[in-house]
Amino acid sequence: MDKIGLNPLKILKRAFYICVFIIYTPIFSQELSGPWTGTGTNWTSNACSIDITTSVSNLTNGAAVNFSTGDIECNMPNTFSSNNVVNHTALAPYLDFGTNGKGVLTFTFSSPVTDPVLHLDRLGGGYGFGPHSNSALITLITPGLSLTRLSGNGTHFEVTANTITRTPDQLFGSTTTSECGTPTVGGVAGSVRVNGTLTSVSFEFELNGADGFADAIEVIWELPCDFDQDGIPDQMDLDDDNDGILDSTELGTNPTLDSDGDGFIDSMDLDSDNDGCLDVIEAGFGDPDANGTLGALPDDVDANGLIINEPDGYTSPLDNNSNTTFDFQEAVVPSILIQPQDTTTCEEDDATLSISIQNTNSLQWQMSTDMGLTWNDISDNSTFQGAQSENLTVVNVPMNFNSLQFRVQFSFCNAPFFSDSASLYVVETPDAGLDATKVFCFDDSPEDLFYLLGGNPDLGGNWSPPLSGGNGMFNPQIDVAGIYTYTIDNGYCNPIQSSVTVQISGIPVISNVVVTDFSDNNTIEIQVTGNGDYEYSIDAVNYQTSNLFNNLSVGVYDIIVRDINGCGSATAEATILNYPKFFTPNNDGYNDHWNIQGQSNSSFSVYIYDRYGKLLKMLDNNSVGWDGKYHGRDMPSTDYWFKFVDNNNRVIDGHFSLKR
């Protein structure tokens, strides 16, 4: 997409830089040259974004110049106009005089400079002990310029209007004459100002003194800089371009960082990534007058060159993609890769509208209900999910969303941009009705399962598994019980299904009645065959779903088994028998006889024995019981045994007590 405001911004940016260089004044801060790089006689450094280059000419009588680099080491106090010069990397020209030869050393500047300062060290130095200095006489030969001595480490650093040298014929060998430390360091050091505005300056060098053959001096240039013209020298200014971002943040560990390669380091570039958006905006700060500096004019600054009286600035700049590169140092112009597309969905299904967009984190979906005349922001709720992401999900889409329009709003450089709009089309979902359950009796007539479904199902669906009577017709005498599924498909939405669960019940058949009697827990278990849902009773009043009855008293029980769906019943009879654990034959009318308890429709015999196995009495189902006598004589109080045998050959053994 187009970068709105890119050309006017660039014009403003270039104009600002031009103005800065045109109105340079020497009263502002200086910037030291360095580092130096090069080969042969052509070396280059930079200060205040101005390139400084060297050249050598007019060599006579074997004179020569060789270049290297070294650090300024002079430790005398008040030597230079800036303490930063000490230990700073310098250009180290080795001036070889040849046989009383001469040469010219020229420095050229890529832009005009006014009153630059030249720092010199090791002038007249030696590599041993005397007897004399081997100082160079350095003569300014560029017309219209002059020299002024600013400082020096002693009386022997001599400067005139056009020469620089060390007092000749000074002996080495003592600390009083080696003015910059140890005798081997030796030479003098000092600073001069080159008076005037220039783009190049040339110095002729030659021997000054006896017995010398060369001089290895060290040179640093210091140029005036105040990039943002706020009255705070760049060397002291913590925000050189007044964009509200600290220079230390803009440059990090690289003092020459130029993110967009446009020739301006980031601390002096209002659009460091050249993406058309000012750094102050991409950093997340305010710039209401859109001039690239923090806040609105005038740009009032403190002693550190930081803009004051503004509500923000000088905090960590934005890094919205969290990749450790600040947004103002990488071109992150938003770009739509894939526009939202028209989407069709079924009623009550979820629908997703998507966009593919890079380099923005301010994405916002909007919706229009009037064909795009007005747009409203969407918020995440039970209907919408992902309102600020690339994928907007509409949950359980209702029919009244048919033909609504959606788009994405995003921003770049505090300006809104919009994607294409896309329509959401909603197709009515077919209705398969509601699930149902049906119980057929085996002898019921066939029935159409469609009319058993709840709700308002649409016609035209299909049933599975297939039925003998055709689509949906269930015949309980032929078809089997199970789940029958109704499926309807409108050709677009996913097929919709409902089902009827069919059960078939028949008349129960009592296959067996298991009686447990003569026990502490007399029971009746009713065993039935059949495919229905049955309930059981032993008194024709109370019914239960369990076929087991517990803790029954002696007696005859009428058994009924019936289908709970009304598909028939079956009956049977069962008898519970038991015996008393003791009896008292004392003619008081209570427990005078011992006999089997309970009525039985089958005949049985009971045999009573004493503890030695002697048969004392035999009873049948018609007997009154045993009166405790044997041949008319009372039997003693003790335990007696019995055997019960009925006509089904059921045998029960037990014992009881006779008490008197």
Side-chain angles (χ1 to χ4, degrees):
M1 64 181 296
D2 292 335
K3 299 178 183 178
I4 304 301
L6 177 58
N7 291 335
L9 174 62
K10 289 301 177 186
I11 293 172
L12 173 64
K13 172 181 175 181
R14 298 298 177 184
F16 177 74
Y17 295 151
I18 292 171
C19 291
V20 166
F21 287 110
I22 290 175
I23 62 175
Y24 253 126
T25 60
I27 63 172
F28 296 136
S29 177
Q30 315 289 329
E31 184 173 309
L32 299 178
S33 58
W36 292 85
T37 58
T39 58
T41 59
N42 300 114
W43 284 67
T44 301
S45 183
N46 183 279
C48 297
S49 298
I50 297 175
D51 291 333
I52 308 170
T53 58
T54 66
S55 62
V56 177
S57 61
N58 299 335
L59 298 173
T60 64
N61 296 330
V65 179
N66 296 310
F67 290 95
S68 62
T69 60
D71 293 341
I72 295 290
E73 298 177 352
C74 185
N75 59 7
M76 296 295 289
N78 303 316
T79 301
F80 302 114
S81 60
S82 170
N83 290 330
N84 292 331
V85 174
V86 178
N87 296 322
H88 190 80
T89 299
L91 180 67
Y94 181 81
L95 308 178
D96 188 341
F97 305 130
T99 304
N100 294 318
K102 295 182 180 182
V104 175
L105 174 60
T106 299
F107 295 91
T108 301
F109 303 88
S110 60
S111 296
V113 296
T114 300
D115 296 346
V117 174
L118 181 63
H119 301 290
L120 290 171
D121 190 14
R122 291 184 181 269
L123 181 61
Y127 294 94
F129 297 101
H132 303 290
S133 71
N134 54 352
S135 177
L137 174 62
I138 300 173
T139 302
L140 172 66
I141 63 174
T142 302
L145 303 178
S146 64
L147 302 176
T148 298
R149 184 181 189 272
L150 300 179
S151 62
N153 66 340
T155 60
H156 301 299
F157 179 70
E158 296 184 348
V159 179
T160 69
N162 67 339
T163 63
I164 306 171
T165 189
R166 181 185 189 277
T167 304
D169 300 325
Q170 293 296 310
L171 295 176
F172 292 108
S174 69
T175 58
T176 58
T177 56
S178 59
E179 297 164 342
C180 207
T182 63
T184 56
V185 174
V188 297
S191 303
V192 297
R193 182 172 63 238
V194 180
N195 301 306
T197 299
L198 55 107
T199 56
S200 69
V201 60
S202 296
F203 297 93
E204 184 181 68
F205 65 90
E206 59 186 306
L207 175 65
N208 182 28
D211 299 329
F213 61 89
D215 198 355
I217 65 174
E218 293 174 330
V219 174
I220 292 175
W221 282 100
E222 186 170 350
L223 304 185
C225 305
D226 180 19
F227 181 80
D228 53 15
Q229 292 296 289
D230 60 1
I232 306 300
D234 290 344
Q235 193 169 346
M236 299 171 58
D237 197 331
L238 301 183
D239 182 10
D240 285 343
D241 55 6
N242 281 348
D243 61 0
I245 309 170
L246 293 171
D247 294 345
S248 59
T249 299
E250 292 189 278
L251 299 178
T253 59
N254 183 0
T256 61
L257 179 63
D258 180 9
S259 294
D260 56 9
D262 64 355
F264 297 96
I265 62 174
D266 287 2
S267 63
M268 297 181 181
D269 195 335
L270 298 179
D271 183 10
S272 296
D273 55 9
N274 200 32
D275 64 356
C277 187
L278 293 166
D279 290 352
V280 63
I281 299 300
E282 289 193 278
F285 307 144
D287 181 21
D289 54 11
N291 71 337
T293 62
L294 179 66
L297 293 174
D299 289 339
D300 297 327
V301 299
D302 61 16
N304 294 315
L306 303 181
I307 290 183
I308 58 176
N309 302 323
E310 296 295 344
D312 55 14
Y314 306 114
T315 58
S316 182
L318 294 179
D319 177 18
N320 284 318
N321 58 10
S322 300
N323 67 347
T324 71
T325 299
F326 296 122
D327 293 350
F328 73 89
Q329 289 177 316
E330 60 178 342
V332 288
V333 179
S335 176
I336 297 177
L337 305 179
I338 302 175
Q339 294 279 3
Q341 304 294 314
D342 291 348
T343 300
T344 302
T345 189
C346 289
E347 179 187 11
E348 296 183 356
D349 280 356
D350 294 349
T352 299
L353 295 102
S354 298
I355 188 173
S356 179
I357 183 170
Q358 63 181 4
N359 299 334
T360 184
N361 68 339
S362 61
L363 188 152
Q364 174 63 60
W365 283 91
Q366 295 180 324
M367 181 176 68
S368 175
T369 60
D370 55 8
M371 302 301 294
L373 295 178
T374 58
W375 292 88
N376 295 299
D377 288 349
I378 293 172
S379 299
D380 285 345
N381 51 39
S382 60
T383 301
F384 298 106
Q385 297 177 2
Q388 295 181 336
S389 70
E390 288 190 335
N391 300 302
L392 174 69
T393 299
V394 188
V395 180
N396 295 327
V397 180
M399 275 302 301
N400 62 3
F401 272 34
N402 185 40
S403 297
L404 296 188
Q405 292 182 314
F406 296 84
R407 73 179 184 185
V408 171
Q409 175 182 308
F410 56 98
S411 64
F412 174 64
C413 206
N414 289 347
F417 293 85
F418 303 93
S419 71
D420 294 345
S421 62
S423 296
L424 178 63
Y425 298 106
V426 186
V427 177
E428 187 175 3
T429 302
D431 190 349
L434 303 176
D435 293 347
T437 300
K438 172 68 176 182
V439 179
F440 287 91
C441 292
F442 181 75
D443 55 357
D444 283 349
S445 300
E447 189 172 346
D448 191 339
L449 298 181
F450 177 83
Y451 297 103
L452 299 177
L453 294 171
N456 298 293
D458 296 333
L459 293 169
N462 294 297
W463 289 90
S464 63
L467 296 164
S468 62
N471 191 29
M473 291 301 299
F474 184 88
N475 187 341
Q477 299 177 27
I478 301 175
D479 298 311
V480 299
I483 298 175
Y484 290 84
T485 301
Y486 180 68
T487 302
I488 188 164
D489 187 350
N490 64 2
Y492 183 83
C493 301
N494 292 328
I496 304 300
Q497 294 180 334
S498 60
S499 63
V500 176
T501 301
V502 175
Q503 301 176 19
I504 301 176
S505 288
I507 299 174
V509 175
I510 299 175
S511 60
N512 190 24
V513 177
V514 179
V515 176
T516 299
D517 53 4
F518 291 102
S519 70
D520 293 333
N521 179 22
N522 299 318
T523 63
I524 294 177
E525 181 183 2
I526 306 167
Q527 298 176 348
V528 177
T529 60
N531 59 355
D533 290 330
Y534 303 128
E535 58 184 3
Y536 306 86
S537 176
I538 58 175
D539 62 3
V541 175
N542 301 299
Y543 286 85
Q544 65 183 43
T545 57
S546 173
N547 66 338
L548 179 64
F549 294 85
N550 293 295
N551 299 313
L552 300 179
S553 303
V554 297
V556 178
Y557 292 88
D558 295 322
I559 296 172
I560 301 176
V561 182
R562 67 184 183 187
D563 181 74
I564 63 175
N565 297 297
C567 294
S569 63
T571 62
E573 185 179 272
T575 300
I576 296 294
L577 300 177
N578 212 336
Y579 66 93
K581 299 301 185 289
F582 67 93
F583 77 113
T584 56
N586 55 8
N587 295 320
D588 63 355
Y590 298 98
N591 295 324
D592 288 335
H593 293 82
W594 185 92
N595 204 353
I596 297 299
Q597 296 173 330
Q599 299 178 353
S600 175
N601 294 326
S602 59
S603 60
F604 60 82
S605 298
V606 179
Y607 303 92
I608 299 174
Y609 304 90
D610 64 10
R611 60 189 302 176
Y612 303 107
K614 179 179 180 179
L615 179 64
L616 303 177
K617 184 69 175 180
M618 184 180 72
L619 307 174
D620 60 25
N621 52 306
N622 295 316
S623 298
V624 175
W626 182 43
D627 58 2
K629 297 181 181 292
Y630 178 68
H631 294 311
R633 185 164 50 88
D634 291 336
M635 296 301 293
S637 296
T638 187
D639 288 341
Y640 295 87
W641 279 256
F642 73 90
K643 177 184 287 187
F644 169 92
V645 181
D646 65 10
N647 58 351
N648 294 318
N649 292 321
R650 184 169 65 131
V651 177
I652 302 295
D653 291 315
H655 64 91
F656 59 93
S657 298
L658 186 155
K659 298 180 180 181
R660 295 188 181 274

